Amino acid sequence: MSGNVAADGMQGSGRVRSALRGFLTGLGGLAYAFVIWTAVFYAIQLSVGGMSGYGWVVLLLPAVVTAVVFAVVLVTTRRRSIGALVLVLLAGLGLSAVFLLNTFSYVIRNLAALTGS
Amino acid sequence: MRSDGDDDALSWDGDDALEARRPEMRPRRRRPQDSPRSDSAPKQPDAPAAASDPSAVQATDAGDDDEPQGLSTVALVALGILGGVYLLYTVGWVIGGVGMQAPVMFTLPAFLYQAALWLAVLAPALWFVAVLVVTRGAKDWVRIVWLIAGAALLVPWPFVVSGGGGAL
């Protein structure tokens, strides 16, 4: 009887932990999607005046890198605690933002080569 | 207080307490299989020769300690250096990001750029904390390698290419 109660308690706590993990992963996904959206928005804005193929690759690279970083974070923290998941999600988000701003810097300095003008 | 006559002139009150506190002066824990040695007994070839070696005794005592060992001195110095590098990166991202603000915000809404800038400024600190926490049980060189990888990935290029002035 008490064994069943304990098993139910453990199962319930595991379910709560799994739900919390899913919620935090979703929240992190939204934040990563925000970075991807920023990269795509900037690419579309710049492409109004014309954009070379190389320019598209450079401008959309931050979006691809951000998605890859998110996938890597999810895979590497699969068997880790929720705290580790949050920390690695935040570190990956910072890395994605760093890559995005580095790309912005490169685009500003090489705008003529990217737009083909 | 000692009452050994001649030794009284060379000793101070409290010396015994000091000697008792020294780790090397601690009496060695006697193991059950250790038999009391006597000079008259012949030396056995398989008897532990280390019993008369003071360095070996210390090594044995150190091996008996069950306390977890902290970071080595080299790892601590490396952590300090890399922490300083990460701190410089944070400053570099503030200066480089603010300097790049005007030309980027010409085509990008302010809140999008501001959010990305804040994330980039916090990135070195986030990476440092994440590495320290996630690799807590790992070896020192694993932590150092991850921190060096972060130092290679998080370079504030807008600050570097602008010559440190921030304006592009």
Side-chain angles (χ1 to χ4, degrees):
Chain A
M1 185 73 179
S2 64
N4 285 340
V5 171
D8 286 349
M10 282 179 65
Q11 197 177 357
S13 120
R15 204 175 293 149
V16 167
R17 196 173 297 136
S18 175
L20 182 62
R21 198 179 185 85
F23 174 73
L24 290 172
T25 305
L27 213 60
L30 275 180
Y32 280 77
F34 175 80
V35 176
I36 292 176
W37 179 41
T38 306
V40 173
F41 188 89
Y42 190 65
I44 292 173
Q45 287 287 99
L46 275 190
S47 67
V48 171
M51 181 67 63
S52 66
Y54 174 63
W56 277 113
V57 170
V58 169
L59 281 168
L60 292 180
L61 204 55
V64 176
V65 166
T66 303
V68 169
V69 167
F70 184 62
V72 169
V73 166
L74 287 191
V75 169
T76 52
T77 57
R78 206 171 33 185
R79 296 178 190 281
R80 295 207 174 246
S81 64
I82 290 179
L85 168 72
V86 171
L87 279 175
V88 178
L89 270 174
L90 285 173
L93 197 62
L95 180 65
S96 303
V98 160
F99 192 80
L100 179 69
L101 290 201
N102 281 336
T103 307
F104 284 173
S105 168
Y106 179 79
V107 168
I108 290 168
R109 283 178 291 111
N110 301 280
L111 198 56
L114 297 176
T115 55
S117 59
Chain B
M1 183 125 185
R2 292 180 185 178
S3 58
D4 291 341
D6 290 345
D7 285 348
D8 277 350
L10 301 172
S11 66
W12 296 84
D13 193 16
D15 276 359
D16 291 341
L18 276 177
E19 283 179 6
R21 245 184 256 167
R22 284 185 191 146
E24 66 267 20
M25 297 301 288
R26 234 182 271 161
R28 187 184 168 210
R29 271 180 280 174
R30 191 170 291 278
R31 296 178 180 173
Q33 65 266 26
D34 285 350
S35 58
R37 292 176 61 198
S38 63
D39 290 333
S40 59
K43 282 189 178 177
Q44 297 175 356
D46 58 342
S52 58
D53 188 1
S55 64
V57 169
Q58 284 180 10
T60 310
D61 283 346
D64 286 346
D65 284 342
D66 291 334
E67 294 172 5
Q69 298 210 342
L71 286 170
S72 67
T73 311
V74 176
L76 267 180
V77 170
L79 274 185
I81 292 172
L82 286 165
V85 169
Y86 278 53
L87 204 60
L88 287 177
Y89 279 12
T90 305
V91 176
W93 272 115
V94 171
I95 297 174
V98 170
M100 205 172 59
Q101 203 165 1
V104 172
M105 277 175 24
F106 187 69
T107 48
L108 203 64
F111 76 96
L112 286 181
Y113 183 73
Q114 295 289 348
L117 175 59
W118 270 105
L119 282 174
V121 167
L122 291 173
L126 290 172
W127 186 283
F128 195 80
V129 172
V131 168
L132 286 192
V133 172
V134 173
T135 64
R136 191 181 286 157
K139 289 177 180 162
D140 286 350
W141 68 266
V142 176
R143 301 180 128 183
I144 301 298
V145 163
W146 274 107
L147 287 176
I148 289 174
L153 289 170
L154 301 174
V155 175
W157 285 113
F159 175 77
V160 174
V161 296
S162 63
L168 285 168

